Amino acid sequence: AAKSFIDLGLKPGRLAIFSGSRYPPCESHLLSTDFLKGNDDVSKSFTTVANGGEPQTEEWYSKHGIELFLNTRIVSIDVQKKVVVDAEQNVFTATKALIIATGSTIRTLPMRDQNTNAIISEEKVEKNHEKLMRSQSITGERLSGLFYSGHMGDIFRLKEFVNKANRTLNCIVVGGGVRGLNSAVAIAELGHHVTIVVRSNQIMRGVFTLNASLIYEELLSHHNISIKKGSACKSLINNHGIITGCELETGEVLQG
């Protein structure tokens, strides 16, 4: 949207963008492919790069007179007055238009303690979500082996984890969307075994037809990737701070 405004002749000082992330907007599918496999220049994943355009770095926004507020979480909005308030109670007022483009939030998964069998609910994990996001880790106890592909801090940790592993890893990817599939292929191409867990009876449901999904699944199988369809992840298994697997709703346990 920012690039479109610039192309339409927006004058400097007329646009401000608020983001809870530490980084400018990125193309998530590039983060989960090229960056994971070893491309150390994270700016190659910034918005517009996928279309062959100039990376929208912080300098790009500044050059075009766009105020980019990173690490800024908006907690309330007055639509009528075009006013937003951030977590630090700073108040910002739009003089002409207020555009809400919130995207999506990360869905955290319940965890089961392998030793006590106690379940840490999704709601309890989610309650600490904002505090954990500020420290750039979804998991307050710094769980080893758990990464959320929609979180930049976790993407950096995952990149280091899979590239520096001195053994072949058994990796579990929960979700059969674009980001999950891209991450699975990137990890598999680094020589690791990958299992994708998909609630639906096909990957990329809503995007692919059933036949197209079957063709893509065949291609994935040649990358040492297996797919568990028709069952969701019931809980992650936590063993003294290390995620050791995933328990499916069917009762099957996948070892990670």
Side-chain angles (χ1 to χ4, degrees):
K3 176 68 164 55
S4 296
F5 283 136
I6 295 300
D7 292 342
L8 290 171
L10 182 75
K11 295 180 181 179
R14 300 298 301 275
L15 177 63
I17 298 174
F18 300 90
S19 172
S21 173
R22 289 172 52 189
Y23 305 92
C26 293
E27 303 283 357
S28 61
H29 64 284
L30 293 178
L31 274 177
S32 55
T33 50
D34 294 349
F35 183 69
L36 270 186
K37 288 191 290 185
N39 182 355
D40 291 328
D41 185 359
V42 71
S43 71
K44 297 295 185 182
S45 303
F46 287 165
T47 300
T48 74
V49 172
N51 298 319
E54 179 184 0
Q56 290 179 202
T57 61
E58 290 184 63
E59 291 74 19
W60 182 91
Y61 289 95
S62 178
K63 179 176 70 174
H64 291 285
I66 300 172
E67 290 188 89
L68 180 63
F69 295 87
L70 300 177
N71 271 331
T72 305
R73 184 171 61 93
I74 299 301
V75 295
S76 68
I77 299 174
D78 186 323
V79 177
Q80 296 299 321
K81 295 181 179 179
K82 302 185 182 69
V83 169
V84 297
V85 180
D86 69 13
E88 306 301 323
Q89 297 304 302
N90 296 308
V91 179
F92 304 89
T93 303
T95 56
K96 188 172 183 180
L98 174 62
I99 302 174
I100 303 174
T102 54
S104 60
T105 57
I106 298 169
R107 179 193 169 189
T108 53
L109 295 170
M111 283 179 278
R112 176 170 66 83
D113 190 294
Q114 186 171 325
N115 301 287
T116 66
N117 221 34
I119 294 287
I120 303 174
S121 69
E122 180 180 338
E123 289 76 18
K124 186 173 182 181
V125 175
E126 185 66 27
K127 188 178 292 185
N128 293 302
H129 186 265
E130 295 301 340
K131 178 183 71 175
L132 304 174
M133 285 287 280
R134 290 193 198 104
S135 65
Q136 293 302 299
S137 172
I138 292 294
T139 54
E141 54 185 320
R142 284 287 181 179
L143 291 172
S144 176
L146 173 62
F147 311 93
Y148 285 87
S149 65
H151 186 268
M152 284 288 288
D154 276 8
I155 285 289
F156 276 92
R157 293 173 54 229
L158 175 59
K159 175 186 174 73
E160 181 179 18
F161 188 81
V162 296
N163 280 276
K164 292 187 176 181
N166 55 13
R167 61 181 177 85
T168 300
L169 303 172
N170 289 319
C171 301
I172 302 168
V173 173
V174 179
V178 173
R179 205 157 50 200
L181 296 182
N182 284 347
S183 298
V185 171
I187 294 169
E189 288 183 351
L190 290 170
H192 304 297
H193 300 296
V194 180
T195 300
I196 302 174
V197 177
V198 187
R199 181 187 295 271
S200 174
N201 64 345
Q202 68 178 88
I203 59 174
M204 295 286 286
R205 184 177 181 180
V207 178
F208 288 169
T209 63
L210 179 58
N211 286 338
S213 292
L214 292 174
I215 293 171
Y216 200 85
E217 288 170 19
E218 177 65 22
L219 294 173
L220 291 175
S221 68
H222 297 306
H223 284 272
N224 203 21
I225 297 172
S226 58
I227 304 173
K228 288 282 185 182
K229 295 184 290 185
S231 184
C233 174
K234 179 181 178 182
S235 64
L236 303 174
I237 302 173
N238 175 11
N239 185 11
H240 298 296
I242 300 173
I243 295 299
T244 59
C246 167
E247 181 179 0
L248 304 182
E249 289 179 343
T250 59
E252 181 182 0
V253 174
L254 302 179
Q255 300 295 328

